[in-house]
Amino acid sequence: MDEGDTPLLPDSLVYQIFLSLGPADVLAAGLVCRQWQAVSRDEFLWREQFYRYYQVARDVPRHPAATSWYEEFRRLYDTVPCVEVQTLREHTDQVLHLSFSHSGYRFASCSKDCTVKIWNNDLLISLLHSADMRPYNWSYTQFSQFNQDDSLLLASGVFLGPHNASSGEIAVISLDNFTLLSRVRNKPYDVFGCWLTETSLISGNLHRIGDITSCSVLWLNNAFQNLNASTIRTVMVADCSRFDSPDLLLDAGAPPGRVFDLGGEDEEEDAGLAPVQAREGWRRLLDGLLDGRTQPQLAECALETKVAELLAQGRTKPPERGAASALDKLLIFTTGCLTYSPHQIGIKHILPHQMTTAGPVLGEGRGSDAFFDALDHVIDVRGHIVGMGLSPDHRYLYVNSRAWPSGSVVADPMQPPPIAEEIDLLVFDLKTMREVKRALRAHRAYTPNDECFFIFLDVSRDFVASGAEDRHGYIWDRHYNICLAKLRHQDVVNSVVFSPQEQELLLTASDDATIKAWRSPRTVRIHQAPRPRSFFSWFASQRR
């Protein structure tokens, strides 16, 4: 401006110049004079800056809760927990899992050093208690979960039994005095276990039917059909009462995604005949083999698979029909019918009368021929599932998967297809039973099928985070489907977890035996500066 406060350049020309600048330069220029400051806060300018800087597709609308493009740019830049503020080194071996209490005041960690550690989540994190599980013949601890009122902690680990046989065990620890209240066997150990109610938990058991065929049982629930050596694993529970008020509605108004509902009208029409036909086929096949009148035309493994299919078809109780109630819960777990590697997600409605130890158990409410429970829904991801997590409102299920090659065929259940190094982060809507969003990508894994392990992920109101084998944790925005941050460790990152009360705090756990705490630039400024600077002046001084 000249001395009379008359602009030397029109706003439109200043606007065109600012379009060629980066966001930090725009803010710095806005400090020069009132005219430039006004142009530097123009909504159309920040819309262009947003799409260009974050490389968001132009057809993706602004976040529904955003008030302006400038504020939305600021949210993604200033509130993502990407600044390392503390490193915890109290574990002496690989740290496998982290979990927060619902209040956010405490968190727990599990490790190959066979301890469960409980921490105080203050501004400076401190160790509160360490429980050593080696006296109970545990090899290591692998998973933990706080119950709803944060009075009990479920801790899951690998138990070393007779003759060095490995199984799983779940321990319940009181958080009032840190005493061990109970221990429950858990097989296979990567079921992990979870809370169903404040005082009831779910554990697993496995019964071998043949060399490659098994039946999985969930404690407090019924048995589930399971074929071809792949067992029920990684159990979690979703609360249906929260579906109608999601924190963030994904793909609102978008074309419907892939439906993964199990069954259809044709199957329902034939449901009454299937058990009878399957039972007759089962009897004829077995009678012929036992009498020597029939020669097996299939390999032993394939024959066992066929017999198991006939057995399951004839002895499966159909699901209880009817719309889902707000009182229902969904039992969610990984499984598989083609190979031993978990490539499917099973979903089963748990009705209110089944959420108690007095409810139905295996064999009750069935005919003499029905001893399996049919699933309500199945998701086949066509790849090895290496992680699952629920959004805070329980509406969306996020899944880490390493895909099989396109068009691959599983000929031998003991030889699954090779898996990709890229991890796909898939999103499923548990209310509509549809896949939503495109897969998130950035993180990688390198282990083959037989060495593949779980990479834990976590979801907050606005973000989703995951570990990876490439020595980084990753954070994405849930609405825009973009990667916002890479969080470095010295080894594999096994687990990530947001504070449930403050999504600008994230913890990561690694094979490097450390836990790292990450906070957003905004909270770091607030905690460190005697007189906090505004984002406007702070960002203008940055070059990122």
Side-chain angles (χ1 to χ4, degrees):
M1 292 186 180
D2 61 17
E3 295 181 357
D5 288 341
T6 301
L8 297 176
L9 296 174
D11 288 354
S12 59
L13 184 55
V14 176
Y15 175 83
Q16 291 300 322
I17 294 172
F18 281 9
L19 278 177
S20 65
L21 302 179
D25 293 328
V26 168
L27 288 177
L31 301 175
V32 172
C33 64
R34 287 191 295 271
Q35 181 202 18
W36 286 18
Q37 182 184 37
V39 175
S40 72
R41 301 298 290 269
D42 183 87
E43 269 293 279
F44 292 102
L45 174 64
W46 280 102
R47 181 181 184 276
E48 291 301 310
Q49 291 284 356
F50 183 91
Y51 281 113
R52 187 170 62 197
Y53 185 86
Y54 292 113
Q55 298 181 347
V56 176
R58 296 278 175 163
D59 60 346
V60 178
R62 196 173 69 187
H63 191 291
T67 57
S68 72
W69 284 106
Y70 169 76
E71 291 298 332
E72 190 64 351
F73 188 103
R74 174 180 174 175
R75 178 181 73 84
L76 295 190
Y77 195 99
D78 207 26
T79 66
V80 177
C82 58
V83 181
E84 182 183 340
V85 295
Q86 191 174 355
T87 301
L88 308 174
R89 305 182 186 277
E90 280 78 353
H91 280 291
T92 59
D93 207 335
Q94 302 169 0
V95 188
L96 302 181
H97 186 255
L98 299 167
S99 65
F100 258 108
S101 64
H102 295 84
S103 67
Y105 295 146
R106 293 176 177 177
F107 68 89
S109 58
C110 296
S111 169
K112 283 287 185 73
D113 65 14
C114 209
T115 64
V116 180
K117 297 188 187 299
I118 301 169
W119 308 77
N120 271 327
N121 180 34
D122 297 319
L123 185 57
L124 188 66
I125 296 170
S126 60
L127 181 62
L128 179 63
H129 178 75
S130 181
D132 186 357
M133 302 305 293
R134 282 171 293 194
Y136 305 102
N137 286 338
W138 284 30
S139 299
Y140 57 88
T141 61
Q142 60 177 353
F143 177 84
S144 64
Q145 186 182 54
F146 290 79
N147 72 339
Q148 191 60 43
D149 64 5
D150 293 334
S151 62
L152 302 173
L153 180 70
L154 176 155
S156 171
V158 176
F159 175 84
L160 191 62
H163 310 293
N164 293 322
S166 292
S167 185
E169 192 165 83
I170 294 172
V172 177
I173 299 172
S174 168
L175 294 175
D176 292 331
N177 52 19
F178 304 113
T179 57
L180 183 62
L181 301 179
S182 64
R183 292 159 57 201
V184 177
R185 287 294 171 88
N186 186 44
K187 185 178 180 182
Y189 57 79
D190 50 2
V191 167
F192 297 132
C194 69
W195 292 103
L196 179 63
T197 66
E198 287 188 0
T199 56
S200 300
L201 59 89
I202 296 175
S203 64
N205 199 0
L206 179 69
H207 303 286
R208 290 289 179 186
I209 299 175
D211 291 336
I212 61 168
T213 311
S214 61
C215 169
S216 292
V217 180
L218 294 179
W219 186 61
L220 282 184
N221 289 276
N222 300 319
F224 293 88
Q225 174 184 337
N226 191 66
L227 306 176
N228 292 353
S230 180
T231 58
I232 286 178
R233 303 172 180 182
T234 321
V235 177
M236 59 179 58
V237 174
D239 186 351
C240 299
S241 66
R242 304 164 71 177
F243 284 2
D244 291 326
S245 54
D247 299 324
L248 177 66
L249 187 61
L250 299 181
D251 279 3
R258 177 166 62 98
V259 182
F260 56 87
D261 207 341
L262 179 68
E265 295 180 359
D266 293 338
E267 289 181 331
E268 290 185 10
E269 290 174 2
D270 297 336
L273 299 176
V276 176
Q277 294 171 345
R279 185 160 56 246
E280 290 305 315
W282 153 255
R283 287 173 177 167
R284 286 197 300 270
L285 177 62
L286 282 187
D287 289 345
L289 290 173
L290 292 174
D291 295 342
R293 292 181 283 104
T294 303
Q295 294 297 319
Q297 302 297 314
L298 304 171
E300 184 176 345
C301 289
L303 179 62
E304 180 182 322
T305 298
K306 186 62 178 175
V307 170
E309 288 175 351
L310 290 171
L311 174 66
Q313 290 172 11
R315 302 203 170 192
T316 297
K317 179 186 176 184
E320 297 184 35
R321 299 296 179 184
S325 163
L327 298 177
D328 293 357
K329 294 185 178 182
L330 296 181
L331 186 66
I332 303 169
F333 51 86
T334 62
T335 183
C337 66
L338 298 177
T339 177
Y340 71 86
S341 63
H343 60 92
Q344 292 178 321
I345 299 169
I347 300 176
K348 178 73 176 176
H349 279 279
I350 310 175
L351 304 179
H353 68 274
Q354 295 172 314
M355 298 182 201
T356 168
T357 53
V361 295
L362 179 62
E364 293 184 359
R366 296 169 175 76
S368 59
D369 291 330
F371 58 81
F372 293 114
D373 283 290
L375 302 181
D376 294 297
H377 311 281
V378 168
I379 310 168
D380 196 328
V381 303
R382 299 292 298 173
H384 195 126
I385 298 169
V386 294
M388 292 198 305
L390 288 167
S391 60
D393 51 32
H394 288 207
R395 172 74 179 262
Y396 298 99
L397 177 68
Y398 286 74
V399 179
N400 269 337
S401 172
R402 297 175 60 185
W404 293 339
S406 177
S408 60
V409 177
V410 180
D412 184 346
M414 303 310 293
Q415 294 183 357
I419 51 179
E421 288 187 354
E422 296 83 7
I423 301 176
D424 292 327
L425 186 48
L426 311 173
V427 190
F428 300 96
D429 187 335
L430 294 177
K431 181 177 181 180
T432 64
M433 293 299 169
R434 295 180 182 273
E435 184 177 1
V436 296
K437 292 285 187 185
R438 58 179 174 82
L440 301 173
R441 271 192 175 180
H443 49 331
R444 302 175 70 88
Y446 308 109
T447 48
N449 259 314
D450 56 348
E451 299 176 18
C452 206
F453 53 87
F454 221 64
I455 299 289
F456 290 96
L457 60 93
D458 195 34
V459 190
S460 71
R461 183 190 67 234
D462 296 314
F463 307 125
V464 54
S466 175
E469 291 184 39
D470 59 14
R471 303 182 180 185
H472 289 87
Y474 290 83
I475 303 175
W476 296 264
D477 183 79
R478 292 178 60 196
H479 176 72
Y480 297 108
N481 267 38
I482 55 173
C483 184
L484 296 171
K486 291 177 64 175
L487 313 176
R488 183 169 179 78
H489 274 265
Q490 298 302 310
D491 210 330
V492 172
V493 177
N494 295 302
S495 180
V496 297
V497 63
F498 290 99
S499 166
Q501 302 299 325
E502 181 189 6
Q503 68 172 358
E504 294 180 44
L505 170 63
L506 178 77
L507 305 177
T508 56
S510 171
D511 278 359
D512 62 17
T514 67
I515 300 169
K516 291 188 177 184
W518 309 80
R519 291 190 181 273
S520 67
R522 185 187 72 86
T523 55
V524 169
R525 291 198 312 278
I526 291 173
H527 293 150
Q528 291 182 350
R531 186 176 179 183
R533 301 168 63 188
S534 69
F535 172 77
F536 190 90
S537 61
W538 174 81
F539 184 74
S541 66
Q542 302 299 302
R543 296 291 187 274
R544 186 170 98 176

